[in-house]
C-alpha cells in the first residue's frame, strides 16, 4: 500500500519532497535547535546533509519504507515542514516537524488530521499512532487535535540527540479502528 503522493487541505498541499527543497528545509528549520530538540535526528550542519536526507526520502517513497511529504502552503507553495509515515502491516506510525516561523497557526494539526483521515479510510489499516517526548507539549496537542488518544508511557523509548545519548520516556498516542 502506498499513500497518495499529494494531499490537499484547506490551507496546505502535502507533496513529495524534492532535492530542490534543500535550502527551504535547511534554512527553514533543519538547523534550528529549538525545532530539533525533540527530534530523533540531530540538527543539520551543512546543506549537503539536507540534500542527502531529501534523496533518501525519495528513495524511500519508491521502496515503500517511509513516505515523507513536504508541508507547503497553498497556493503560495512555501515549504513549512515535513510529515513522514511508515506502514507496517495493518499499522501506521508517523512523525512531523514545522518551521518555527509557522508554529501555532494550526498547520501541523491540519496536515496530521488529513493524513489520519486518509489512513482510517484504508480498509487494511487498524491503527495510526505516534510517539512524542513526555515534555513535548505542542506535539501532544497536535495529536489530540487530530483525534488520537493518549495510550500510555513508553519508558526509555527514544534517543533525541539534542538532549543527549540516553533514551528518554515518550508518550504513545493512537487512533484505532
Ligand atoms: C510540534 C509541532 C510540529 C507543532 O506544529 P504547529 O504547526 O505549531 O502545531 P499546531 O499549530 O497545529 O498546534 C500546536 C498546538 O500546541 C499548542 N502549544 C504550542 N506550544 C505549546 C506548549 N509549549 N505547551 C502546550 N501547548 C503548546 C498550541 O497552542 C496548539 O494548540 P491549540 O490549537 O489548542 O492552541 C512544532 O511545534 C514543531 O515542529 N516542533 C518541533 C519538532 C517536533 O517536536 N516534532 C514532533 C516530534 S514528536
Amino acid at each position: 500500500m502506498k499513500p497518495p503522493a499529494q494531499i490537499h487541505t484547506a490551507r496546505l498541499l502535502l507533496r513529495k519532497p524534492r532535492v530542490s527543497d534543500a535550502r527551504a528545509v535547511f534554512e527553514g528549520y533543519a538547523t534550528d535547535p529549538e525545532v530539533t530538540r525533540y527530534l530523533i535526528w540531530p540538527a543539520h550542519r551543512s546543506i549537503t546533509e539536507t540534500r542527502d536526507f531529501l534523496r533518501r526520502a525519495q528513495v524511500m517513497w519508491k521502496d515503500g519504507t517511509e513516505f515523507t511529504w513536504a508541508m507547503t502552503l497553498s497556493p503560495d507553495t512555501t515549504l513549512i515542514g515535513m510529515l513522514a509515515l511508515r506502514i507496517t502491516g495493518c499499522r501506521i506510525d508517523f512523525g512531523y516537524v514545522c518551521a518555527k516561523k509557522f508554529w501555532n497557526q494550526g498547520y501541523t494539526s491540519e496536515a496530521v488530521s488529513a493524513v489520519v483521515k486518509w489512513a482510517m479510510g484504508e480498509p487494511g489499516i487498524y491503527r495510526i499512532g505516534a510517539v512524542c517526548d513526555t515534555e513535548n507539549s505542542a506535539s501532544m496537542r497536535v495529536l489530540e487535535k487530530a483525534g488520537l488518544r493518549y495510550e500510555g508511557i513508553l519508558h526509555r523509548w527514544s534517543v533525541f540527540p539534542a538532549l543527549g545519548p540516553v533514551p528518554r520516556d515518550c508518550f504513545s498516542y493512537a487512533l484505532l479502528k
Side-chain angles (χ1 to χ4, degrees):
M1 176 199 305
K2 280 201 180 186
Q6 295 198 341
I7 296 181
H8 293 266
T9 72
R11 299 178 295 165
L12 301 171
L13 168 64
L14 308 188
R15 60 154 173 83
K16 287 185 182 180
R18 306 170 186 140
V19 177
S20 58
D21 293 325
R23 189 148 299 281
V25 172
F26 186 73
E27 290 174 359
Y29 65 86
T31 55
D32 184 335
E34 227 184 309
V35 171
T36 53
R37 182 176 171 80
Y38 295 120
L39 292 179
I40 56 173
W41 48 270
H44 292 183
R45 284 157 303 174
S46 75
I47 197 163
T48 308
E49 279 183 57
T50 311
R51 286 197 193 98
D52 289 345
F53 154 72
L54 291 164
R55 279 190 202 99
R56 279 198 307 277
Q58 291 179 325
V59 170
M60 288 192 289
W61 257 101
K62 287 202 182 90
D63 69 22
T65 46
E66 188 169 289
F67 304 99
T68 300
W69 288 279
M71 294 198 290
T72 63
L73 297 182
S74 177
D76 94 347
T77 76
T78 304
L79 188 151
I80 66 165
M82 296 263 173
L83 196 159
L85 65 77
R86 282 175 184 252
I87 304 173
T88 313
C90 52
R91 179 180 100 224
I92 290 179
D93 299 288
F94 68 98
Y96 39 80
V97 60
C98 181
K100 201 158 55 197
K101 186 175 164 192
F102 299 98
W103 282 4
N104 297 322
Q105 297 172 58
Y107 286 128
T108 306
S109 303
E110 189 171 315
V112 169
S113 297
V115 169
V116 167
K117 188 174 171 202
W118 164 77
M120 284 293 114
E122 287 298 298
I125 296 298
Y126 287 82
R127 173 192 168 91
I128 182 162
V131 299
C132 64
D133 189 274
T134 55
E135 292 177 5
N136 193 352
S137 305
S139 188
M140 293 171 215
R141 194 67 201 114
V142 165
L143 295 169
E144 286 164 1
K145 285 199 291 179
L148 280 73
R149 300 266 164 79
Y150 172 77
E151 291 189 307
I153 189 163
L154 299 162
H155 293 288
R156 294 280 189 232
W157 186 254
S158 197
V159 172
F160 299 99
L163 300 176
V166 178
R168 291 171 57 92
D169 296 348
C170 288
F171 289 144
S172 177
Y173 284 79
L175 180 63
L176 311 174
K177 203 186 267 170

